[in-house]
């Protein structure tokens, strides 16, 4: 973290994010979790962020879609890929309500997601692992 003009900033691979932005993105992942629960699904949520903007939204849809692959992180990834028209998201990061499972991490790594942030405090969880 570095101080800039009295505000704390957190460094990210492709941009510097104000602590308030981290909180906003973590809160949006939490909103996706609440949406999943309201729809009778598992309590997980995630968002993909690129250049300071949310480009993919992911409430868990495992039960809703009857798809064991529809974890919040992959739903957010699929949404971002569809919206941006590309499978590669090298300059994007993910905010998730919980640590992604190994299969989600593999999908995130294949999409070249640069960093993972987890939980309400947007704890830096590093880069997704591909194996």
């Amino acid at each position: 973290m570095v101080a800039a003009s009295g505000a704390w900033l957190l460094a990210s691979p492709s941009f510097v994010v104000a602590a308030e932005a981290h909180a906003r993105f973590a809160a949006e992942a939490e909103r996706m979790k609440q949406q999943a629960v309201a729809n009778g699904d598992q309590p997980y949520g995630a968002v993909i962020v690129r250049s300071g903007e949310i480009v993919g939204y992911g409430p868990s849809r495992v039960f809703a879609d009857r798809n064991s692959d529809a974890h919040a992180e992959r739903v957010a990834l699929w949404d971002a890929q569809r919206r941006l028209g590309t499978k590669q998201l090298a300059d994007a990061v993910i905010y998730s309500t919980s640590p992604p499972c190994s299969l989600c991490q593999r999908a995130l790594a294949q999409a070249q997601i640069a960093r993972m942030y987890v939980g309400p405090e947007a704890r830096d969880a590093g880069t997704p692992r591909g194996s």
Side-chain angles (χ1 to χ4, degrees), residues 12-33:
S12 165
S14 61
F15 55 94
V16 175
V17 179
E20 296 82 23
H22 271 296
R24 181 171 55 89
F25 299 140
E28 192 62 23
E30 179 65 25
R31 190 176 75 77
M32 292 291 97
K33 172 183 169 182

Side-chain angles (χ1 to χ4, degrees), residues 48-92:
I48 303 281
V49 176
R50 185 180 195 192
S51 301
E53 298 294 327
I54 297 174
V55 295
Y57 293 87
S60 176
R61 296 195 49 84
V62 170
F63 298 144
D65 292 353
R66 295 182 181 183
N67 179 351
S68 61
D69 290 332
H71 292 190
E73 296 84 1
R74 279 187 270 179
V75 172
L77 180 62
W78 298 333
D79 187 42
Q81 290 171 328
R82 181 188 56 76
R83 287 173 186 251
L84 299 173
T86 182
K87 297 286 185 191
Q88 301 305 309
L89 302 170
D91 55 348

